[in-house]
Every structure is written in C-alpha cells, then in structure tokens.
Amino acid sequence: MSDLSIDIKITKISESKISTVDFDNLTFGKIFTDHMFVCDYIDGTWQTPEIMPYQPLTIDPSARVFHYGQAVFEGMKAFKDENDQIWMFRPEDNFNRINKSSHRMAIPEFPKEFFFEGLTKLLHMEKDWIQKGKGNSLYIRPFVIATEAAISASPSNSYKFMIICSPAQSYYAGEVKVLFAEEFSRAADGGVGYAKAAGNYGAQFYPTSLAHAKGYQQIIWTDANTHEYLEEAGTMNIFFRVGDTLLTAPNNDRILDGITRKSVIQLAKDNGIEVEVRRVRVDEIKEAAKNGTLKEIFGAGTAAVINPIAGFEHAGDEFDLPKMEDSYASFFKQKLMDIQYNVSEDPHGWRFKV
Amino acid sequence: MSDLSIDIKITKISESKISTVDFDNLTFGKIFTDHMFVCDYIDGTWQTPEIMPYQPLTIDPSARVFHYGQAVFEGMKAFKDENDQIWMFRPEDNFNRINKSSHRMAIPEFPKEFFFEGLTKLLHMEKDWIQKGKGNSLYIRPFVIATEAAISASPSNSYKFMIICSPAQSYYAGEVKVLFAEEFSRAADGGVGYAKAAGNYGAQFYPTSLAHAKGYQQIIWTDANTHEYLEEAGTMNIFFRVGDTLLTAPNNDRILDGITRKSVIQLAKDNGIEVEVRRVRVDEIKEAAKNGTLKEIFGAGTAAVINPIAGFEHAGDEFDLPKMEDSYASFFKQKLMDIQYNVSEDPHGWRFKV
Ligand SMILES: Cc1ncc(COP(=O)(O)O)c(C=O)c1O
Ligand SMILES: Cc1ncc(COP(=O)(O)O)c(C=O)c1O
C-alpha cells in the first residue's frame, strides 16, 4: 500500500518522550506514543489527514459524541520481529469492521487509502515504540467521534477519525474466573452489539463491577431474550472445549465478529481439531463440567490473544476447570503469536508487512 | 434551595453574545448561552463546582467517553412567566434520574446540593436568555462524561459533570408519521435502555434514517424479543387513545421513565380519563385503527411536551389517524404548559421556583 501517494500533513514533535517510558512496567492503555493520526470530516468530505504531536483535543461541550455516544473504535497491534521488521495481523479486517461499525452508527465510512497510508506512516514514525520480544507490541486504537456542536438527537455533520498508539506488554491477567450472565445483558437483537460502538462497552462496566465484587474478573454474556445461550465476553469471543471438540457461538447481530475468533477457527481446521460453530447452551456446559467432559474455556481477542479461563459460576453453581497439560489455549496462542511475530509460515496471508 | 451556601467559583464573560441571537429563528440545540456549569470528579471526590464562560473543552483523545461511551445526560427546561419569574418543571425527577443513569453506567452520583445550587445560580445569570411567551423556553442539558486518559475497558477514575443551556422555541415538527419497529431495536432486557446513557441515542440514528427515507419522522420501538409490543419513541414515551381510554407501556428496564409521561398519567386521573398502563400489542393498535376505535397516538417528552402523531406504518400496512377536534393531545399539552408557565394552579407541586 505504501506506493499510494496520499497527501498527509505531517508535524513532528521536537523531542520524543520515549526515554521517560519504563517499557518493563507498562499499564495497559495509559501511555501514548509521540504522534497521532487525525482526519476531520467536514461538509461531506474527509479532509487532508494529519499526523501531529499527541495532544489534547479542543472540542465543544455540545459535541454529539458526549451526548449521544455516536462513536466507534477498533483495536489492533503491531509487532516487531528479530530483524526489526514491523508486522500487523489481518489489519484489513479491522479496517472493514470499523466501517461496518460506522455504518450502523450513522457515521460516514473512512477511505481505505487514508487508513492504510496513515497507519503505515504513523507506525514508521513510532517504530522505536514497538519493542522486540514475544508479548511486546504496540496497541493501535483507531476511533471515530461525532464532533458537531449541536445537541439535537440526530447524526452529526462533522466527525474526527483518529489513530492513537500505546505500547503494550504481554497481557497476563492472573487466574481468570467468569460469571455467566443471568440478568444483565450486553446487546439486543436488532441492536448494535455486532458493532464496536462506544456505548456497548460503558454499559458493561456496572455489571462487571458486580462480578468483580463476587470474585469474578469477567462476565460471559448470554442472549438477552432467554439467558440460555452463551455468547461472548466483554472484549473477547469465547470457546469451549468439550471432549476434544471446540464450541463457539455463531456470529449474529449481538456478537462482535472477532478476528482472533475466526483465526482460531481456521487454525483448528488446519490442525484437525473439530470446531462446532453453533449456539452453546449454558446447561450443556454446566453438564459437561459436571461429567468431566468440559476440558477448557478460553477467550480470544486482540488484547490477550488467548485467555484461558480457570472457572465459572452460574446460578450459584461454581465450577473449576482442570489444569491441562496440552491445552488448546496454549496451542492456539503459540500458533497465533508465531504468525504475528514472523516466526512461522503464514499460509493464509494474515501477516501484513508495515 | 437557594439558602444553601455551596461554594461555586464564578467567572463571568466580559460581554454577552445575546444581542447576536435571533430568538425568532432558533434551530434546536445549536446556540448556547454565555456560561456553563462544570464540576470535576477527581481522586474520589466532586471538586468545587465552577460557572464559567461557555467554551470548548480540552480533553485527551484517550478519554474514556470517546472509546466506551461512559456518559449520561438529562433534558429539562426553564420557563418565564408574565412577571419575569423563572420556573422549572419537576427538576428533582431529572436530578434523581441522572443519578440513576450514572449508577447504571458506573459513574459516581452527583451531590444534590451541587446540582440545585449550580442550576439555580446558572439560570439567574442566564435569565435574559429565557424568553417570555408560551412555547419559549431555555433547554437545559446536564451531562456527565468520563474523562480519564486511559483506554482500558473499565470505569474511568475522573469525570466531568456539566450543564449547558440553549434557548428553544415552541417545537413544531410538522405532521409526524411513525414506523413501528419490526427488526431493529433500541434496548435489551437487562441492558441500559432505562438510563439516559449516551450510546442509546447514537444507536437509533441509523434505523431512524431508514425510516426517514421511507417518509416517517420517527420510530416507535417495540420489545427486542418479539417486536410485538409497543414501547417508546426515540425521545418520547407513547400514548394510544383507543375509544376514550389511554394506553401506555409500563416502565421496565428498556424504557425511559419519562417525567412528561407520568405527569400525563396523573393529569388523566385528575380529569377522569381512564388510563391503562400495560403492555400494548402492535396487533391491537392495528386492529383498533382498522375498526375506527384508535382515535389518537401521541408522544410525551420534555422537548415537544406532547407530539400528536398523524399516522403509522407496520409490516407494509399504513394507517392515517383521524383529525380530532377535542384531542387528548391538545388537552394535555394545554394543561402541562399552563402549569409550566405559571398560568394555572399546580395541585401536585410540580412547579419549581428558580
Ligand atoms: C465485544 C468484543 N468481542 C470480541 C472481541 C475480540 O475481537 P478481535 O479478536 O477482533 O480483537 C472484541 C475486541 O475487539 C470485542 O470488543
Ligand atoms: C428515550 C426517551 N424516552 C422518553 C423521554 C421523555 O422523558 P421526559 O418526559 O422526562 O422528557 C425521553 C426524553 O427525555 C427519552 O430520551
């Protein structure tokens, strides 16, 4: 893509703040790199994109993003291999997904060449912020916000598309136990659950804080109608290993079509692991936990790659999962990271050279 | 409340911009008064509130409101009577509701004395912006946004509570026809529909734009599970008059507990009009439209007070409502406005002297 000549206005910082950063002790999402990518939508067009020093926005208190949550985002990562080459993982899927999210939120779609040219330029400028070593990455956050200064409840006429970047270390959340949702829900049929719409996430904070108080780190959301089917976690899709078969919910308008999820499904097929993409009943998972056939539950998402789950609770019933020697979770994590860090072959062309 | 001595830091503008405003040609929500109320939540406490010149915010691009829609709002109005006295309508209910919304969105509740003292002081400062004459008002928008500069998906540690004000004229939207939702939905059981959470509103823009394209100004949302029951509109609760009985949906966790709605229910009782607060089937309303017993549909909300609806569509069936001489819609609108503008008695103590 780098041969496209999109006009991007670039303003560099005078001195990098990178020397002040302790890369061995990063809290996720608190430290940002020197520059950011910004592109404004005004009068029906995306204007000339800019890369400029990371800095606060000046934005009217009546901007629609504050009042009506007209905002979407993405989450992606850049990795550095042993030869200092930068890679990304299936970024075209993130690009397509942010536009799908935008469409649902009545936000104009962003041009592909602006996205890739901006992203590539920005990553080249921030290359020192991407640390080598497995688990290290640069977390990349594209997002769009509605900026028009007017509080009528209708779509904004102006928007800001931005990309900010934050260095990240290998994500280890400790032992993760989850609660299967019985009462609260994440998304409605016919709603915006399949979009990375900002409001979907804030809405989970309160139920999740109640889960924390009970000793569970996350919630696995169930369908809002019956609470009988397991759907996904707050920022991960979910897999269940019953016997040697993997189960995961099908995509629908409540569930985010995760890139890690579909990569796991493909890798399972490549490696002769049976996957059933179908509705997964709370009851069958509890039953499998009771009769010992439930061997693993794990989450799949960009932030943690694969996140093994140690136990769950539903309706007062608590279950601990067995410790596995050859877990699918570590198998997929290894496979994915080997592709991401350019250690292994990449038969599906998922790696993207930056 | 005005004898409470809350410390508010006040900075006045040097010159009012009021002389530049054409009060006879206001677009809703585009023009703001000279000052705004701001109170920051930092380190576990709401800090000293401030009233300052209306101005843009300086806010980090990683602030959680942009990424996770952690934001809530309210909508209220101030009215001026013939003697230049300023009044509000049931503001305590708005205050309670914003805290209920905040609670659901994991935002710390705002202190009552800060709210009323700030609101009162601000309105006294902006009194010239409140125009006399029925239909004229000052629209008041309290809101809270998550400001912490960190993109982890968890509740913010800092917030901004603000009140901004915009002069409004009598709201006349022309003839309003509505679409009953068949596929899209506004809120899930166990979700945040009952809260004035920002994301609930942005999520309606796209389905509403599809309705516009079909010639309908608004959508009446149905329950997400079955789409068989009529719930509410985008910013109004909905009443159906069948024969001489009013029907309206009961509150639940998907529906906003509207202050206008509950005032209409009370006024109906006061005036011997029968009201049934119960689930209202799409089918029964279509049946009533066919057999001529459906006399009116109207919306009830702060912005339009009462908004008569001229017709609706569902599943390709179109219905026009009869023009009514003595409509309930105009009866309730008159009654409510007489209380709001201090023209009539106020037996329930709804009027609040500012
Ligand atoms: C709700 C939700 N589900 C699942 C995922 C995982 O998706 P991906 O693998 O594309 O990161 C995410 C994170 O993006 C998410 O926000
Ligand atoms: C979703 C929704 N329903 C109903 C209403 C009407 O509520 P109220 O009468 O309190 O303005 C509003 C407006 O506040 C609303 O946003």
Side-chain angles (χ1 to χ4, degrees):
Chain A
M1 303 262 151
S2 42
D3 57 318
L4 283 171
S5 54
I6 303 297
D7 201 24
I8 299 185
K9 187 178 162 213
I10 296 184
T11 314
K12 290 198 172 158
I13 42 128
S14 46
E15 204 190 332
S16 173
K17 64 190 171 211
I18 196 168
S19 64
T20 67
V21 175
D22 179 359
F23 282 92
D24 295 326
N25 290 293
L26 296 168
T27 306
F28 179 76
K30 284 223 173 205
I31 289 183
F32 297 91
T33 62
D34 291 321
H35 300 92
M36 63 190 195
F37 173 85
V38 188
C39 185
D40 286 310
Y41 182 89
I42 304 170
D43 295 335
T45 345
W46 291 102
Q47 309 292 310
T48 303
E50 285 192 55
I51 293 175
M52 60 173 79
Y54 186 92
Q55 62 192 278
L57 305 177
T58 302
I59 180 164
D60 201 86
S62 68
R64 282 197 175 85
V65 61
F66 296 137
H67 302 268
Y68 305 127
Q70 202 189 4
V72 298
F73 70 100
E74 266 305 323
M76 45 211 305
K77 281 179 173 175
F79 311 95
K80 199 176 254 179
D81 72 15
E82 283 310 311
N83 302 315
D84 287 329
Q85 173 61 46
I86 304 169
W87 300 94
M88 294 191 68
F89 186 73
R90 311 185 79 172
E92 225 175 280
D93 292 329
N94 295 94
F95 170 73
N96 291 332
R97 194 168 62 186
I98 201 169
N99 276 346
K100 198 170 150 191
S101 299
S102 286
H103 187 75
R104 181 59 180 87
M105 294 301 287
I107 295 173
E109 294 178 20
F110 196 62
K112 187 167 182 176
E113 44 309 350
F114 282 24
F115 183 82
F116 278 99
E117 189 70 7
L119 184 60
T120 306
K121 279 236 168 69
L122 182 64
L123 290 179
H124 286 156
M125 287 168 67
E126 308 300 55
K127 65 180 185 312
D128 294 344
W129 290 83
I130 313 172
Q131 303 278 301
K132 266 193 246 190
K134 261 206 179 171
N136 294 328
S137 66
L138 188 67
Y139 181 82
I140 301 164
R141 170 57 58 91
F143 65 107
V144 197
I145 56 175
T147 51
E148 194 189 3
I151 53 166
S152 45
S154 56
S156 180
N157 285 314
S158 55
Y159 298 89
K160 215 178 253 302
F161 184 106
M162 300 187 64
I163 305 176
I164 57 177
C165 304
S166 175
Q169 285 175 279
S170 171
Y171 180 97
Y172 179 65
E175 197 181 71
V176 173
K177 294 196 172 195
V178 297
L179 210 55
F180 291 178
E182 289 169 61
E183 184 192 340
F184 288 107
S185 31
R186 183 187 171 276
D189 280 331
V192 301
Y194 71 88
K196 280 184 86 84
N200 290 340
Y201 296 80
Q204 298 180 59
F205 293 168
Y206 172 68
T208 304
S209 74
L210 298 180
H212 287 173
K214 290 179 80 175
Y216 297 91
Q217 285 71 44
Q218 300 211 26
I219 293 174
I220 297 187
W221 297 104
T222 49
D223 69 297
N225 295 8
T226 67
H227 297 291
E228 285 174 15
Y229 295 93
L230 292 156
E231 306 220 301
E232 62 170 330
T235 58
M236 306 189 295
N237 297 104
I238 293 290
F239 288 85
F240 303 89
R241 175 181 175 182
V242 177
D244 286 333
T245 301
L246 271 182
L247 308 179
T248 194
N251 289 323
N252 59 37
D253 61 2
R254 299 181 300 272
I255 296 184
L256 194 83
D257 181 4
I259 296 161
T260 317
R261 170 185 174 278
K262 69 181 178 189
S263 306
V264 166
I265 293 172
Q266 182 62 54
L267 288 174
K269 287 182 182 157
D270 294 352
N271 290 278
I273 294 172
E274 205 180 323
V275 193
E276 291 178 16
V277 178
R278 61 159 174 87
R279 304 186 78 184
V280 181
R281 291 182 66 88
V282 170
D283 281 352
E284 70 179 296
I285 297 303
K286 289 176 77 171
E287 194 46 44
K290 279 180 202 149
N291 69 27
T293 53
L294 180 69
K295 295 193 186 162
E296 294 179 57
I297 303 179
F298 58 86
T302 296
V305 193
I306 300 292
N307 200 342
I309 287 163
F312 69 92
E313 198 222 278
H314 177 262
D317 302 330
E318 295 175 47
F319 300 92
D320 284 317
L321 287 165
K323 305 252 178 305
M324 293 288 294
E325 274 301 314
D326 294 303
S327 72
Y328 282 178
S330 47
F331 174 78
F332 289 118
K333 185 161 188 173
Q334 184 71 36
K335 284 273 176 207
L336 285 167
M337 290 179 75
D338 282 350
I339 296 173
Q340 291 172 338
Y341 289 84
N342 190 28
V343 172
S344 68
E345 290 301 301
D346 175 29
H348 300 289
W350 290 341
R351 228 164 17 223
F352 175 88
K353 196 171 193 163
V354 179
Chain B
M1 302 261 152
S2 41
D3 57 318
L4 284 170
S5 54
I6 303 296
D7 201 22
I8 298 186
K9 187 178 161 214
I10 295 183
T11 313
K12 289 200 174 155
I13 41 128
S14 46
E15 205 190 331
S16 174
K17 64 190 171 212
I18 195 167
S19 64
T20 67
V21 175
D22 179 359
F23 282 92
D24 295 326
N25 291 293
L26 296 167
T27 305
F28 179 77
K30 284 225 175 205
I31 289 181
F32 297 91
T33 62
D34 292 319
H35 301 91
M36 63 189 196
F37 173 86
V38 188
C39 186
D40 286 310
Y41 183 89
I42 304 170
D43 295 336
T45 348
W46 291 103
Q47 309 292 309
T48 304
E50 285 193 54
I51 292 175
M52 61 173 80
Y54 186 92
Q55 62 192 278
L57 305 176
T58 301
I59 179 165
D60 200 87
S62 68
R64 282 197 175 84
V65 60
F66 296 136
H67 302 269
Y68 305 127
Q70 202 190 3
V72 299
F73 70 101
E74 267 304 325
M76 46 210 307
K77 281 179 172 176
F79 311 95
K80 198 177 254 178
D81 72 15
E82 284 310 311
N83 301 315
D84 286 327
Q85 173 61 46
I86 303 168
W87 300 94
M88 294 190 69
F89 186 73
R90 311 186 79 172
E92 226 174 279
D93 292 328
N94 295 93
F95 169 74
N96 291 332
R97 195 168 62 186
I98 202 168
N99 275 346
K100 200 170 149 193
S101 299
S102 286
H103 186 74
R104 181 59 179 85
M105 295 300 288
I107 295 172
E109 294 178 20
F110 197 62
K112 188 167 182 176
E113 29 339 328
F114 282 25
F115 182 83
F116 277 99
E117 188 70 6
L119 184 61
T120 306
K121 278 235 166 73
L122 182 63
L123 289 179
H124 285 156
M125 285 168 68
E126 308 300 56
K127 63 180 184 313
D128 294 343
W129 290 84
I130 313 173
Q131 303 278 301
K132 268 193 245 191
K134 261 204 180 174
N136 295 327
S137 66
L138 187 68
Y139 181 82
I140 301 163
R141 170 57 59 91
F143 64 107
V144 197
I145 56 175
T147 52
E148 194 190 1
I151 53 167
S152 45
S154 57
S156 180
N157 285 313
S158 55
Y159 298 89
K160 215 177 253 301
F161 184 106
M162 300 188 63
I163 304 177
I164 58 177
C165 304
S166 175
Q169 284 176 280
S170 172
Y171 180 96
Y172 179 65
E175 196 181 71
V176 174
K177 293 196 172 196
V178 297
L179 210 55
F180 291 178
E182 289 168 63
E183 184 191 340
F184 288 107
S185 33
R186 183 186 171 275
D189 280 331
V192 301
Y194 71 88
K196 279 184 87 84
N200 290 339
Y201 296 80
Q204 298 181 59
F205 292 168
Y206 173 67
T208 304
S209 73
L210 298 181
H212 288 174
K214 291 180 79 175
Y216 297 90
Q217 286 70 45
Q218 299 210 25
I219 293 174
I220 298 189
W221 297 103
T222 49
D223 69 296
N225 295 6
T226 67
H227 297 291
E228 285 175 16
Y229 295 93
L230 292 155
E231 305 220 301
E232 62 169 330
T235 58
M236 305 190 295
N237 298 105
I238 294 289
F239 288 86
F240 304 88
R241 175 181 175 182
V242 178
D244 287 334
T245 301
L246 272 182
L247 309 179
T248 194
N251 290 322
N252 58 37
D253 60 4
R254 298 181 301 271
I255 297 184
L256 194 83
D257 181 3
I259 296 162
T260 317
R261 170 184 174 278
K262 71 180 179 189
S263 305
V264 166
I265 293 171
Q266 182 63 53
L267 288 174
K269 287 182 182 158
D270 294 354
N271 290 278
I273 295 171
E274 207 180 322
V275 194
E276 292 179 16
V277 178
R278 61 161 174 85
R279 303 186 79 185
V280 181
R281 291 181 66 87
V282 170
D283 282 352
E284 71 179 294
I285 295 305
K286 288 175 77 170
E287 194 46 45
K290 280 179 204 152
N291 70 25
T293 51
L294 180 69
K295 296 194 186 161
E296 294 178 59
I297 303 179
F298 59 86
T302 296
V305 192
I306 300 292
N307 200 342
I309 286 163
F312 68 92
E313 198 222 276
H314 177 261
D317 302 330
E318 295 176 44
F319 299 92
D320 283 318
L321 289 164
K323 307 253 177 306
M324 292 289 294
E325 274 300 315
D326 295 304
S327 71
Y328 282 178
S330 47
F331 175 78
F332 289 118
K333 184 160 190 174
Q334 184 69 37
K335 284 273 176 208
L336 285 167
M337 290 179 74
D338 283 351
I339 296 173
Q340 290 171 338
Y341 289 84
N342 190 28
V343 173
S344 69
E345 290 301 302
D346 174 29
H348 300 289
W350 290 340
R351 225 161 24 220
F352 174 87
K353 196 171 192 163
V354 180

